[in-house]
Each structure stands twice: as structure tokens, then as C-alpha cells.
């Protein structure tokens, strides 16, 4: 038998075995995900801890994902130190990975840890987590994730708590909020609204805690708008809607009470009580802040009777965190309500659980201290050697114990020296990151200013004259773009144009500015479209070492004669309405080249003697060459089809319909070119 078939058989067998092994691993991960998700839906947090620990050991979960779920479960059980420990461990495990799944888990952990630290008023610690995470996600082009957007909001909230530059804090909050709205526009689903609602809740809570009630009212209006938008989605859930209206009304009641508008606050609280969420243990506890602010201590004390139910529902232990955040509040409201016996019972409960809570906190703190620097190999090696020495010392006598103590002192000294060095290195790195962030923000601000200047040159108010109907829109792919459109109305003549400059970015933007000024100057002189193109070409082709050019379609419409003159300089043929009411592409002069290439070129013009009751649509190739996720182009056929179905509408609605259809076609794909559309009709 030949050796070659045997060789191929061995390769085939190895491939099959490898494939089976990969399939088994994938199946194991899917089963692990399903089991943890089922526990998550059931709010069975102790089971989440058991499962995550198990999958962490047998490989069903990566280290980062296991730490995410462990931190989540401990957070829900109000064991803040344990949650913080596991989330910091997860960040350390994932901070160097660029795998998509790892980056998503990293974003989720960073977002939750930032939220946890913010909730516990550890704002500096929250910023130290959020700032590097935001910078890393931005560098990996993952700044469309909802976790990234929420961390922008956390950063703004923390800066507000510190009393830093108010404008800078508000800028971060607005940036995060607008990013949520942009995501909703691109992906109009219930999940997008829920992500935005979480961010706005954090802002409202921050302003309420800071007692800045006027600002809270502004954001509460946005909160209600988001809830209404969520309700309109097909995949919206009634129980979630009810909970968010409850949260909105109780937050509003607190803000109005803080502003001294007591009757309105009482009405908002009345609306809160009408929700189903109010009947839950969580709902009654949520009402306590307003009731305390309003001095309604008896009702607040009644609501806190459901505290044990809430703790049992979420599996909350008697940790220092739960004693501080929940049980101590129950003591205060009972005392203020004059229920001395109840207050005494709560104080006894606190005393009974305080010792075990302190022990648990110390245990968590010890674990946290050991895990923070786990990634540093040298320190880890020192700890392992220290542990081995400690075990040996336990088995020998008193003399060995003395030797061990001497070694321990020596190791401890080295450990603290290296720990101090690590802290200093971290401070330097943090300062460098902050400086880089400021520089990048300044550059982005300058580009935004350039964009604002450029857009100010593009008209957004169109001629108001009997029979004229014109509208245009430009959407740039980058901060600044190379597309243009403009018009000039002089006596009974309306000049208008559209253009597309070669290249992208700032150079194209500058060339676009020169072309726009040239068009308006020559139009004001009453030149014909072909003369405008010829004169602009002569001007722009001189000293054009970069070889830049612009395609343009230039028109002049005489309102008295109803005559349209035009000159096409290498631009896309426009769509025009025919006498039979159907639309097609206009035949244009093909010998005309783009403007700016050859100075001696003389352009040829064309005309339509009677343009009454006809529509002309000009556009740049950002429309017909727009691509979706599969890199398929929008195409010219879709343009004609959409115009035929919308031809009875005014020009504004036609342009907006085209833009909406292109966005729907892209399906979330990034815009690859500037998009400019201009529609004109004379009746």
C-alpha cells in the first residue's frame, strides 16, 4: 500500500479529532452561559457564585467572565468589598486582550465597577477605573458600546461630585447622553432605550444626592422622554415600563420637595403609589428618601417593614454595607417616627450582626489586597515563597519560628518597597494618561470648531419665492468634509450647485471652501453655468501641486422664463422627472471634466426650456455608493425607485426620506463617504 494515502488518512483523522474537541469546548461554554443566565433571571445570586466558581475551575468560563459574574452576584447581595475584589481581578486578567469577547467583558466589568464605586461615593477611585477604560475602548474603536457611553456619564457625575469645572462635567454628561440618542437612532430597539435610561438614572440620582434639584428636573424631563420612546418599541416589557415610571415619579417627588413645591411633590408621590412597583419591597424602600425629606416618618417606617423581604429576595447578608445602606436607615426612620421599641429592635439586630460583618469585611479586604497586584510576577513569586516559608515554619519548633520571623521581616520589607514603586509607577502612568486625554480632547474640540465653521458656510435656509421649492442636506463622514452645495438668488435668477472634492479631511474641506466662494462670486456677477465652471477651473488649476479637483453640477433657473440652464463638470448625472411623471437620470455632456485639472478646458452648458412642474435631484456619490455590513452598495436603482414612490411630497420630505432609507440600508455600517442631497422643483 502507498504511504501517501496513509499520510492523508492520518491528517483527516487528526482534523476530525481536533474539530470534535473544539465543538465540545464550544458546547461546554454555551451550557455554562445558559446555566448562569437562568440563575440571573431567577435572581439566585448564591447559585451564580457557585456556578461561576465551578466554571472558572473547569474552563467553562474564562477568568475575566467568571470574575464578572462573581462581582455581579456579590454586588447584588450588597457585599461591596467582594464585588470590588473580583471586578478588579477581572480587569487585570483582560486589560491586555484584544479579543472581541474579552473586550466586551472588560467593558462590562469596568462599567459596573465604576458604578459601584460611584454609588459608595468613592469618586476618585471610580475615575481611576473609568478614565483608562474609556481611553482603551476608544483606541480599540469600541466607543459605540453602551458601557463606554455610560462610563462617560459616570465620569461627568464624579467630576460634578468633586466640584470640578462645571462646564467640563456637563460636557461629559451631554456627550454620553447624545451618544445614547445616536445609538437609539441607529438601533431603535428597546435595549437601546434601556441602556440610555440607565445612564440618565445615574445623572438624576447624582443631582438629587447633591441637592441640585433644578438640574435634576432638567434630566428628569429627558428620563420621561426615554420611557415614552421605550414604550413605543415592539420588544418593550410592561413590568420594566412600570418600574421606570415609578422611579421617575419618586425622583420627581424628591426634586420638587427639595425645591419647596410640596403640593406638586405630593402629587408625584401619589402617581408613584399607583404603580405596581410600589407594592414590591424594593419599591417601598425606594420611597424612603422622599418620605424622609418630606418629614413623613410614619409612612417611611411602615415601608421599612419590607426590608427583610427585600434582603431575602436578593440574598443579602448582614455585611457592613447592608448594615450601613439599609438597616441603619430603618433604625433612623423608626426613631424619627417615635417607634422606640422598633428602633430598639433594629439596634439589637445591628449589634448582633456587627461582629460577623466586621470579620467578613476584613476577610474581603485581605483578599482584595492580595489580588490587586497579582499580575506582577515578581511580587507574586515573593508571596509564594513567603507562603512556603510560613508552612515550613509551622512544622518546626520555636527556633524555626524565630528564623521564620526574621525572613518574614525581610520579605515584608522588600514587598513594601516594590509595592511603593508600583504605586509610583501607577501614578506616573495615570498622569500621562490624563495629559494625553486632555491633548486629544483639545484636538477633537478644534476639529469640531472647524466643522462648525464649515457648516456655517452651507445654507440651511432656502429661498422663499412663489413656485420655488428647494431643500438640501449634507452629512459628513468625518469631522470635516469635502462635499458642498450652495445657492444664490439674484433678481429672477436662482443659481444653485452641488459638488464633491477629491480626497477627505481638512485638505478637502479647504478646497471645498475655495470652490464655494468661487461659485458665489461668479454667480453674483450673473455668469452662465458653463462660464462659472470655466472661470473656476482656470482659478483652481493654478498652483494646484496637490492635484486636487472637484466635480460639480451647476444650475441657473430663470423664474420668469421657466428655463433651466446647467453645466455638469464630471459629477453624477442628476435624477429628473419626465413628462410622463416617471423619473430617470438626466443625459449630460460627457466631455466636461472635473474642475481643477486642466487650465485650458472650456466647459459646455446645456438647458431645458420648460422646467415647470418637474423635480430635479442632485446628489454626491456618498448616496449611490453607500455600503451596508456586507459591503453592498445602495445603487442608482434604489434612488429612482424611492423618488418615484415619494414624488408627490415636497423637497424637504423627499431628501429626508432618502437619508432615512440609506441609514436603514447601512444597518449600522459606518458611513464611508460624505453624503449630500439637493432637490429642486418649480411649480
Amino acid at each position: 500500500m502507498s504511504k501517501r494515502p496513509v499520510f492523508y488518512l492520518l491528517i483527516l483523522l487528526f482534523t476530525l479529532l481536533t474539530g470534535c474537541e473544539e465543538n465540545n469546548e464550544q458546547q461546554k461554554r454555551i451550557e455554562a452561559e445558559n446555566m448562569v443566565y437562568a440563575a440571573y433571571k431567577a435572581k439566585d445570586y448564591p447559585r451564580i457564585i457557585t456556578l461561576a466558581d465551578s466554571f472558572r475551575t473547569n474552563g467553562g468560563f474564562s477568568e475575566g467572565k467568571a470574575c464578572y459574574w462573581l462581582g455581579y452576584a456579590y454586588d447584588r447581595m450588597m457585599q461591596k468589598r467582594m464585588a470590588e475584589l473580583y471586578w478588579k481581578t477581572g480587569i487585570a486578567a483582560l486589560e491586555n486582550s484584544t479579543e472581541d469577547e474579552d473586550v466586551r467583558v472588560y467593558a462590562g466589568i469596568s462599567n459596573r465597577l465604576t458604578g459601584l464605586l460611584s454609588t459608595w461615593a468613592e469618586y476618585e477611585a471610580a475615575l481611576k477605573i473609568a478614565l483608562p477604560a474609556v481611553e482603551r475602548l476608544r483606541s480599540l474603536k469600541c466607543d459605540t458600546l453602551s458601557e463606554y457611553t455610560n462610563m462617560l456619564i459616570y465620569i461627568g457625575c464624579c467630576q460634578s461630585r468633586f466640584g470640578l469645572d462645571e462646564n467640563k462635567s456637563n460636557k461629559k454628561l451631554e456627550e454620553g447622553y447624545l451618544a445614547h440618542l445616536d445609538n437609539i437612532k441607529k438601533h431603535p430597539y428597546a435595549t437601546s432605550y434601556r441602556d440610555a435610561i440607565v445612564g440618565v438614572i445615574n445623572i438624576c440620582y447624582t443631582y438629587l444626592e447633591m441637592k441640585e434639584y433644578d438640574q435634576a428636573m432638567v434630566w428628569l424631563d429627558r428620563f420621561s422622554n426615554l420611557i415614552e420612546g421605550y414604550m413605543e418599541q415592539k420588544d418593550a416589557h410592561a413590568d420594566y415600563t412600570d418600574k421606570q415610571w415609578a422611579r421617575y415619579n419618586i425622583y420627581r417627588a424628591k426634586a420638587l420637595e427639595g425645591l419647596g413645591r410640596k403640593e406638586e411633590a405630593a402629587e408625584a408621590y401619589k402617581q408613584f403609589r399607583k404603580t405596581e412597583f410600589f407594592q414590591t419591597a424594593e419599591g417601598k424602600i425606594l420611597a424612603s428618601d422622599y418620605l424622609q425629606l418630606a418629614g413623613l416618618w410614619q409612612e417611611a417606617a411602615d415601608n421599612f417593614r419590607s426590608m427583610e423581604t427585600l434582603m431575602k429576595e436578593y440574598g443579602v447578608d448582614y455585611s457592613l454595607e447592608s448594615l450601613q445602606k439599609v438597616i441603619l436607615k430603618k433604625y433612623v426612620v423608626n426613631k424619627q417616627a417615635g417607634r422606640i421599641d422598633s428602633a430598639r429592635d433594629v439596634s439589637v439586630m445591628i449589634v448582633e450582626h456587627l461582629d460577623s460583618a466586621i470579620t467578613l469585611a476584613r476577610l474581603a479586604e485581605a483578599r482584595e489586597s492580595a489580588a490587586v497586584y497579582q499580575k506582577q510576577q515578581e511580587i507574586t513569586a515573593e508571596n509564594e515563597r513567603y507562603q512556603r516559608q510560613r508552612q515550613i515554619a509551622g512544622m518546626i519548633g520555636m527556633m524555626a519560628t524565630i528564623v521564620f520571623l526574621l525572613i518574614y521581616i525581610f520579605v515584608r520589607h522588600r514587598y513594601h518597597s516594590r509595592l511603593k514603586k508600583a504605586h509610583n509607577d501607577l501614578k506616573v502612568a495615570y498622569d500621562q494618561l490624563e495629559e494625553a486625554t486632555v491633548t486629544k480632547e483639545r484636538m477633537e474640540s478644534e476639529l469640531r470648531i472647524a466643522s462648525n465653521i464649515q457648516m456655517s458656510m452651507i445654507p440651511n435656509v432656502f429661498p422663499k419665492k412663489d413656485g420655488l421649492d428647494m431643500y438640501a442636506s449634507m452629512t459628513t463622514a468625518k469631522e470635516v468634509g469635502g462635499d458642498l452645495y450652495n445657492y444664490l438668488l439674484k433678481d429672477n435668477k436662482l443659481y444653485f450647485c452641488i459638488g464633491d472634492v477629491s480626497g477627505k479631511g481638512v485638505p478637502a474641506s479647504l478646497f471645498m471652501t475655495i470652490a464655494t466662494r468661487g461659485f458665489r462670486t461668479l454667480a453674483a456677477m450673473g455668469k452662465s453655468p458653463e462660464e462659472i465652471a470655466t472661470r473656476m477651473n482656470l482659478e483652481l488649476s493654478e498652483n494646484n501641486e496637490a492635484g486636487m479637483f472637484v466635480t460639480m453640477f451647476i444650475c441657473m433657473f430663470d423664474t420668469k422664463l421657466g428655463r433651466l440652464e446647467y453645466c455638469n463638470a464630471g459629477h453624477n448625472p442628476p435624477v429628473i422627472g419626465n413628462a410622463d411623471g416617471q423619473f430617470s437620470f438626466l443625459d449630460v455632456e460627457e466631455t466636461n471634466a472635473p474642475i481643477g485639472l486642466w487650465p485650458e478646458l472650456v466647459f459646455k452648458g446645456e438647458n431645458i426650456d420648460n422646467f415647470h412642474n418637474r423635480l430635479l435631484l442632485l446628489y454626491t456619490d456618498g448616496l449611490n455608493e453607500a455600503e451596508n455590513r456586507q459591503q453592498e452598495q445602495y445603487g442608482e436603482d434604489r434612488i429612482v425607485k424611492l423618488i418615484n414612490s415619494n414624488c408627490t411630497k415636497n423637497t424637504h420630505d423627499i431628501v429626508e426620506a432618502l437619508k432615512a432609507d440609506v441609514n436603514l440600508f447601512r444597518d449600522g455600517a459606518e458611513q464611508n463617504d460624505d453624503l449630500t442631497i439637493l432637490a429642486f422643483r418649480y411649480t
Side-chain angles (χ1 to χ4, degrees):
M1 182 179 180
S2 171
K3 293 182 179 179
R4 188 175 297 275
V6 174
F7 173 73
Y8 288 146
L9 184 60
L10 290 173
I11 291 178
L12 178 60
L13 181 60
F14 174 77
T15 303
L16 290 173
L17 291 173
T18 304
C20 290
E21 183 177 348
E22 291 179 353
N23 288 336
N24 289 336
E25 288 296 323
Q26 184 177 6
Q27 186 62 32
K28 182 194 295 185
R29 288 193 294 270
I30 293 173
E31 291 176 356
E33 291 276 6
N34 291 338
M35 292 176 69
V36 171
Y37 185 72
Y40 159 78
K41 293 291 288 184
K43 298 182 180 180
D44 190 347
Y45 304 116
R47 178 161 174 76
I48 291 178
I49 293 172
T50 302
L51 290 172
D53 264 332
S54 174
F55 296 143
R56 184 187 194 185
T57 303
N58 65 21
F61 276 171
S62 66
E63 175 75 7
K65 179 164 285 190
C67 287
Y68 172 87
W69 282 112
L70 287 165
Y72 172 80
Y74 279 115
D75 179 34
R76 300 301 292 175
M77 294 167 62
M78 294 193 69
Q79 295 188 30
K80 178 250 183 187
R81 294 175 183 271
M82 293 297 290
E84 185 177 358
L85 163 65
Y86 281 112
W87 279 338
K88 285 184 176 179
T89 304
I91 288 175
L94 298 170
E95 62 184 355
N96 294 320
S97 175
T98 56
E99 295 292 329
D100 289 345
E101 175 68 13
D102 288 345
V103 172
R104 283 194 293 270
V105 175
Y106 169 84
I109 292 177
S110 300
N111 179 49
R112 287 195 175 276
L113 180 54
T114 302
L116 173 70
L117 295 171
S118 300
T119 301
W120 287 89
E122 297 181 15
Y123 307 119
E124 183 177 3
L127 287 173
K128 288 182 178 179
I129 296 297
L131 287 172
V134 163
E135 184 63 27
R136 180 171 181 238
L137 293 174
R138 187 184 291 126
S139 68
L140 294 174
K141 301 187 183 305
C142 295
D143 50 359
T144 57
L145 295 175
S146 60
E147 291 85 358
Y148 169 89
T149 305
N150 277 330
M151 278 192 282
L152 289 179
I153 291 175
Y154 280 129
I155 290 171
C157 291
C158 290
Q159 290 173 339
S160 296
R161 295 279 194 166
F162 273 134
L164 300 177
D165 185 349
E166 183 177 350
N167 291 332
K168 187 175 181 181
S169 302
N170 291 338
K171 178 182 174 183
K172 284 292 183 187
L173 297 179
E174 288 291 338
E175 183 181 352
Y177 175 67
L178 293 176
H180 274 307
L181 294 186
D182 186 55
N183 186 51
I184 289 173
K185 185 177 181 181
K186 294 177 180 177
H187 308 286
Y189 309 119
T191 52
S192 301
Y193 278 96
R194 291 180 71 154
D195 290 337
I197 285 171
V198 170
V200 173
I201 285 173
N202 289 330
I203 300 174
C204 293
Y205 180 80
T206 296
Y207 281 125
L208 288 172
E209 288 293 295
M210 295 170 63
K211 298 182 180 180
E212 294 187 10
Y213 301 118
D214 287 327
Q215 287 284 358
M217 291 295 291
V218 172
W219 285 95
L220 282 167
D221 288 341
R222 295 179 172 182
F223 186 10
S224 66
N225 291 336
L226 289 173
I227 301 174
E228 290 172 354
Y230 171 83
M231 292 172 63
E232 295 174 359
Q233 306 310 306
K234 294 180 180 178
D235 51 345
H237 292 285
D239 56 343
Y240 182 82
T241 301
D242 177 80
K243 183 175 182 178
Q244 299 316 316
W245 279 124
R247 192 187 302 274
Y248 163 77
N249 280 303
I250 197 64
Y251 280 3
R252 190 166 183 271
K254 184 176 178 181
L256 290 168
E257 184 70 29
L259 292 170
R261 296 157 61 178
K262 294 183 175 296
E263 292 183 1
E264 295 176 76
E267 178 60 28
Y269 180 62
K270 182 180 178 181
Q271 295 301 317
F272 167 74
R273 290 176 59 90
K274 291 180 180 179
T275 62
E276 294 181 9
F277 180 70
F278 167 72
Q279 303 300 329
T280 66
E282 184 180 357
K284 292 185 180 298
I285 297 300
L286 182 63
S288 64
D289 286 345
Y290 161 72
L291 294 172
Q292 293 178 65
L293 186 63
L296 302 174
W297 299 105
Q298 296 292 339
E299 188 172 352
D302 289 340
N303 285 359
F304 265 96
R305 290 175 180 173
S306 59
M307 181 194 71
E308 286 77 8
T309 303
L310 182 65
M311 293 178 66
K312 184 178 180 181
E313 179 181 347
Y314 285 95
V316 176
D317 294 331
Y318 288 93
S319 61
L320 282 178
E321 290 81 7
S322 62
L323 291 175
Q324 176 187 349
K325 284 283 186 179
V326 181
I327 301 175
L328 191 59
K329 286 186 177 181
K330 182 174 182 179
Y331 168 78
V332 171
V333 298
N334 276 284
K335 181 180 177 183
Q336 291 292 336
R339 301 180 181 182
I340 304 303
D341 291 341
S342 297
R344 185 183 300 111
D345 291 342
V346 177
S347 65
V348 170
M349 181 195 305
I350 293 173
V351 172
E352 288 177 347
H353 292 95
L354 186 60
D355 186 61
S356 60
I358 292 173
T359 302
L360 181 63
R362 287 176 177 173
L363 176 61
E365 186 174 1
R367 291 180 182 177
E368 182 179 10
S369 299
V372 170
Y373 301 100
Q374 184 177 3
K375 59 177 288 187
Q376 302 180 28
Q377 294 182 358
E378 293 182 1
I379 296 178
T380 301
E382 293 289 340
N383 286 338
E384 290 175 353
R385 185 157 51 251
Y386 164 72
Q387 292 296 334
R388 288 196 298 271
Q389 291 169 349
R390 185 176 180 183
Q391 291 172 0
I392 294 172
M395 294 184 291
I396 62 178
M398 185 63 68
M399 293 300 296
T401 303
I402 296 174
V403 173
F404 164 75
L405 289 174
L406 293 175
I407 295 173
Y408 171 79
I409 293 171
F410 172 72
V411 173
R412 192 72 173 177
H413 175 72
R414 292 188 62 186
Y415 175 83
H416 279 295
S417 298
R418 295 188 180 188
L419 187 62
K420 184 177 181 180
K421 183 179 182 300
H423 274 299
N424 291 335
D425 291 344
L426 180 61
K427 185 178 183 302
V428 171
Y430 179 78
D431 291 341
Q432 291 174 345
L433 175 62
E434 188 173 28
E435 182 179 353
T437 301
V438 171
T439 302
K440 187 171 184 180
E441 287 181 350
R442 185 175 65 252
M443 292 177 64
E444 291 176 349
S445 175
E446 290 172 353
L447 280 175
R448 282 193 296 271
I449 292 171
S451 176
N452 291 337
I453 293 172
Q454 181 188 19
M455 295 306 294
S456 69
M457 300 178 64
I458 302 298
N460 55 18
V461 177
F462 299 96
K464 304 294 184 182
K465 191 169 183 177
D466 292 343
L468 291 181
D469 181 14
M470 174 188 284
Y471 181 74
S473 171
M474 184 172 80
T475 307
T476 59
K478 295 185 177 182
E479 288 83 356
V480 290
D483 277 9
L484 64 96
Y485 73 83
N486 218 300
Y487 77 88
L488 178 69
L489 181 61
K490 182 180 181 183
D491 299 328
N492 62 311
K493 293 183 179 180
L494 171 66
Y495 290 84
F496 58 95
C497 71
I498 192 170
D500 186 356
V501 177
S502 61
K504 297 286 189 297
V506 174
S509 173
L510 294 174
F511 203 80
M512 165 266 190
T513 303
I514 297 171
T516 302
R517 290 300 183 192
F519 163 77
R520 290 186 62 84
T521 300
L522 293 168
M525 295 168 63
K527 302 296 183 181
S528 66
E530 59 267 28
E531 288 176 322
I532 293 174
T534 302
R535 293 279 294 273
M536 285 180 62
N537 179 68
L538 181 63
E539 182 70 25
L540 293 176
S541 58
E542 292 182 352
N543 301 318
N544 187 8
E545 297 179 359
M548 298 189 71
F549 60 87
V550 56
T551 68
M552 290 187 72
F553 197 93
I554 305 170
C555 298
M556 188 278 289
F557 180 71
D558 191 318
T559 58
K560 286 187 176 180
L561 302 177
R563 175 185 173 88
L564 178 71
E565 298 181 12
Y566 60 90
C567 178
N568 181 50
H571 198 74
N572 303 66
V575 178
I576 186 168
N578 300 318
D580 59 1
Q582 294 299 307
F583 289 82
S584 62
F585 290 95
L586 179 67
D587 293 330
V588 296
E589 176 64 46
E590 297 182 355
T591 61
N592 291 343
I595 294 172
L597 292 178
W598 301 290
E600 69 279 0
L601 188 63
V602 176
F603 287 78
K604 297 179 181 179
E606 300 171 85
N607 64 79
I608 299 174
D609 287 334
N610 186 359
F611 195 75
H612 283 88
N613 297 317
R614 302 180 74 176
L615 174 71
L616 184 70
L617 183 92
L618 311 178
Y619 61 92
T620 61
D621 56 13
L623 176 62
N624 58 305
E625 295 180 4
E627 295 182 349
N628 60 15
R629 294 176 183 270
Q630 291 74 40
Q631 295 185 326
E632 299 169 338
Q633 291 193 347
Y634 186 74
E636 296 174 343
D637 291 342
R638 283 190 175 89
I639 300 174
V640 175
K641 182 179 179 181
L642 188 135
I643 296 176
N644 274 319
S645 62
N646 290 271
C647 61
T648 59
K649 298 180 179 178
N650 59 39
T651 56
H652 173 276
D653 291 345
I654 291 173
V655 171
E656 292 301 321
L658 269 170
K659 288 169 59 180
D661 195 54
V662 169
N663 285 334
L664 185 64
F665 172 79
R666 283 200 191 99
D667 190 28
E670 183 178 358
Q671 183 178 344
N672 58 341
D673 199 359
D674 301 335
L675 171 61
T676 304
I677 309 172
L678 185 151
F680 171 73
R681 176 187 281 136
Y682 181 72
T683 56

